[in-house]
Every structure is written in structure tokens, then in C-alpha cells.
Amino acid sequence: MASVTTSDLSAFAVDYRQARAAFLTAAKQAGAHITTHDHPLTGPEGEALATDLAWLGDSDAEMVLVLLSATHGVEGFCGSAAQIDFLSHHHLLPDNVAVLLVHAINPHGFAWLRRVTEEGVDLNRNYIDFSHLLPVNEGYDELADAIVPASLGTATIQQCDLRLSTWREAHGKQAYERALSGGQYDYPHGLFYGGTKPCWSRITSERIIADFRLSRRKRVALLDFHTGIGPFGYGEPICDHPPASTGVRLARNWYGDSVTEPALGTSVSVAKHGLSDYGWMHLIGEPLVFIALEFGTFPFEQMMQALRADHWLHAQPDVEWHAPRTRDIKQAIRNHFYPATQKWQRMVLARSRECIEQALAGLACK
């Protein structure tokens, strides 16, 4: 694996518009077949939004590696860079192996520097059967108005933080994180809201699975790029396949003992409702090996403060993109999910290359 050079860091964009342009350019130069799903809305500067796809390799390949970015919008700086880096450096693919790059599955969140979609939905809590009773999160119910308060005033925030810390001391760190981030379906302006129906990004993902006949392939490896929790710059391969399943077994064979499982309590991530992992597993089945590659940034509480402010902002009647308060809130959420230092960027690209090579080797193994 080649070392990451300073010039390689140009794969990291300054915003969604630049990331999209760089991805499309790299895909064309790599000779990829490009298709696009246009989003119905626009970005904060009126720019067009879309999920762009690039396919490399034989259309009938039995093995497919999927590289997925921006499930959580603002986290797309990382995944987009990994995709562009791959397109810029990839050589011949193994026989019978193709690669599908899905750029910005949540383009609205990427462009607006939000973790959620245009509906305010966390895509990674949206993959549930909405014809059934929705999951209940009693911990979030208790803390909802402290998690996203009516005001960001100093006194209000201090009172809310006291409530949160008191609850955490009473119930423990894991229960606290599960209450806050496990997923909830009752507070549309709240954090980790799963929605009331499939959102645009989920519907688009399901179309992609069908259009590329992924359920008919012999094996599909998926790397879904995330940021925000865990040690700074470390890429943790998180596997949400059922314990002892084929998906877990193959993930461990390919990526090694660094693979973690939230269901077993070995991951920095707690178990959650409605993950995209589950939606892809349901539609593809046994052929799928799904890994969420989570790159650490800063402590959990810093993430919660950034998300709280962003959700408060978008609960207001109008969001003025260029207003000083908006810019401060957006800068804070961007900094948490994308620490744009060369050290962090190098760690992201090096680990991404390693995991992509491991996935390709695993798929190529007969």
C-alpha cells in the first residue's frame, strides 16, 4: 500500500459542491460508468444536489465492493475523500470483481452541514418497517427537552446539562449513550430521529440495490464511511451483522481482529434501531458483508453539543445561511465531524486504503 502524500490530501473538499465536482472528475478519468439520482431540493447557495454513482469493472461481475459516503451528510467529507482517492489510484481490479461508488447518499445533509436528511431524519435510524409499531426510547423521552432545549441561552444550557449529567450518573454511561443516540421516533426536531416513513435517501439506496442487481451477486462487500466517535483518526470497522453469522465470520477473515460488534458490546458504537446496515442486509441477504468504517474525532459530549445547536437552529422558522450564529453553529458541527488537519486526513486515507484492499482481497478469494 502506497504511503499517503501531501498531494493526496487534495481529495478532501471544502464543501459538498467541490466534493461532487472532484468525484465526477475522478470517476470520468478512471473510466467509470456514471449515473446520477437528482435530489429534489437545492443546497444553501442554490446548488444542485444529487447522489452520484460510479461503476468500475464488468457489469456481470459476481463480486461487488460498494463504497458508500455521506450516510450522515456532514460526515461526507471523509467518505468522499476516500472514494476520490480510490478512483485516483486504483489499478486493475481482481477478476470477477467490480466496484460501485455511491457518492453522497444524503446530499442534502452534506451540503447543509447537517447529519440528518432534508426531513430531519437520521438515515441510519430510518431502516425500519413503518407498518409496525415504532420503537420506543424511554430514556430519550425523559430527556428530550434537555437534549434539544427551547433556547441556547447560557442559563438554559447549564440547567439542561445538569439534568443530562444527573441522568447519566444514575443510569450509567452506556445507558446514557443508548438513550441519546439509539434512535427515537417521537421528536421530529430531536437528535437521531428515525422518521415516520422511508426518506428520499433510503428510497434511493433501495433503487440502487435493485438497479445494480446486488441481491443477485455471489458476494457484496460494503464499506460505509462515518466519522464522529472513537479515538482521533482511528478507523474502527463496525459490524452489525448478527453475532456468529456469515457476515461476521467473513468480516473477521477479511479485516482481522479489529472488527467490533455493537451487539456484543465490543464497539465504540452502542446497538441502535433502524441502521442502514439492516436495510441492506434485508434486501441483499446472505451475500452481504457490511462494515461501517467509523473514524474517530472528538469526545461524545462535544458531538452532542454540536448536534444540539444544529437541531435547535433548524427548529427555528427561518435559517439564514450567512447569519453569524448560523455560521458559528455550522463551523462547530463541521469541525467535529471533519477535523481538517493533515494528520487526521492522512490517517483517514491510509486506513481507507487498507480496508479497501482487504475487501478486494476477500472478494477475490475463491
Side-chain angles (χ1 to χ4, degrees):
M1 181 174 62
S3 60
V4 177
T5 67
T6 301
S7 63
D8 292 334
L9 303 186
S10 63
F12 288 91
V14 298
D15 56 22
Y16 163 77
R17 180 158 33 190
Q18 186 185 90
R20 184 186 186 202
F23 175 82
L24 291 173
T25 297
K28 289 175 184 175
Q29 291 175 346
H33 175 71
I34 300 170
T35 54
T36 292
H37 293 271
D38 291 319
H39 194 281
L41 302 179
T42 60
E45 305 287 358
E47 67 269 34
L49 304 178
T51 294
D52 297 298
L53 315 174
W55 178 277
L56 293 167
D58 189 338
S59 62
D60 293 322
E62 292 184 310
M63 315 290 184
V64 179
L65 170 61
V66 180
L67 303 179
L68 180 65
S69 69
T71 293
H72 286 140
V74 68
E75 300 177 24
F77 290 97
C78 163
S80 174
Q83 291 172 323
I84 293 166
D85 181 71
F86 172 75
L87 287 167
S88 301
H89 293 89
H90 92 280
H91 301 291
L92 290 177
L93 296 173
D95 290 340
N96 207 24
V97 176
V99 179
L100 173 62
L101 300 98
V102 181
H103 186 266
I105 193 60
N106 172 14
H108 192 274
F110 196 169
W112 284 88
L113 299 177
R114 300 208 72 195
R115 197 172 173 276
V116 294
T117 67
E118 64 276 11
E119 305 95 339
V121 167
D122 185 326
L123 179 57
N124 239 12
R125 307 293 184 275
N126 188 242
Y127 285 85
I128 65 170
D129 184 347
F130 287 100
S131 67
H132 294 170
L133 289 175
L134 300 182
V136 174
N137 185 336
E138 294 180 355
Y140 197 100
D141 288 342
E142 291 183 47
L143 299 170
D145 58 350
I147 295 170
V148 182
S151 164
L152 295 184
T154 302
T156 300
I157 292 297
Q158 288 176 346
Q159 291 173 358
C160 291
D161 286 347
L162 179 59
R163 277 184 61 196
L164 294 175
S165 62
T166 300
W167 199 97
R168 175 175 174 169
E169 290 173 6
H171 295 85
K173 178 177 180 291
Q174 188 174 52
Y176 173 74
E177 293 186 5
R178 190 162 49 245
L180 267 61
S181 66
Q184 56 86 14
Y185 297 82
D186 296 302
Y187 305 90
H189 293 299
L191 274 57
F192 308 103
Y193 173 61
T196 59
K197 62 183 180 180
C199 63
W200 183 91
S201 293
R202 171 180 169 178
I203 293 169
T204 301
S205 294
E206 292 170 349
R207 287 183 59 190
I208 291 167
I209 292 169
D211 290 347
F212 288 90
R213 299 176 286 113
L214 295 181
S215 63
R216 302 180 189 177
R217 310 286 174 168
K218 185 175 181 180
R219 183 67 61 200
V220 177
L222 193 150
L223 289 173
D224 183 14
F225 293 87
H226 289 267
T227 66
I229 56 174
F232 188 86
Y234 173 66
E236 175 185 336
I238 302 172
C239 185
D240 276 292
H241 286 279
S245 65
T246 298
V248 169
R249 177 178 61 80
L250 289 176
R252 292 197 175 281
N253 286 344
W254 297 355
Y255 304 107
D257 290 337
S258 61
V259 170
T260 63
E261 298 179 63
L264 300 182
T266 61
S267 173
V268 68
S269 176
V270 296
K272 300 175 173 71
H273 294 293
L275 294 175
S276 58
D277 314 35
Y278 304 148
W280 285 74
M281 289 176 204
H282 174 71
L283 292 175
I284 296 177
E286 183 80 3
L288 181 67
V289 181
F290 192 115
I291 287 291
L293 189 57
E294 179 79 46
F295 287 94
T297 58
F298 302 107
F300 181 84
E301 288 304 322
Q302 179 172 322
M303 178 183 74
M304 296 307 299
Q305 295 293 347
L307 290 176
R308 163 195 270 172
D310 186 66
H311 280 256
W312 173 87
L313 175 68
H314 286 272
Q316 308 311 305
D318 295 298
V319 176
E320 172 52 53
W321 183 250
H322 294 290
R325 190 166 208 178
T326 299
R327 303 313 297 164
D328 289 345
I329 289 172
K330 292 303 179 182
Q331 190 62 47
I333 195 170
R334 186 183 192 275
N335 288 347
H336 182 85
F337 291 102
Y338 173 43
T341 67
Q342 286 198 4
K343 178 180 179 180
W344 190 84
Q345 291 172 335
R346 288 177 186 276
M347 293 175 75
V348 165
L349 292 188
R351 181 64 161 153
S352 297
R353 290 178 183 180
E354 179 182 34
C355 289
I356 290 171
E357 287 184 7
Q358 290 171 328
L360 290 172
L363 290 169
C365 184
K366 300 294 187 289

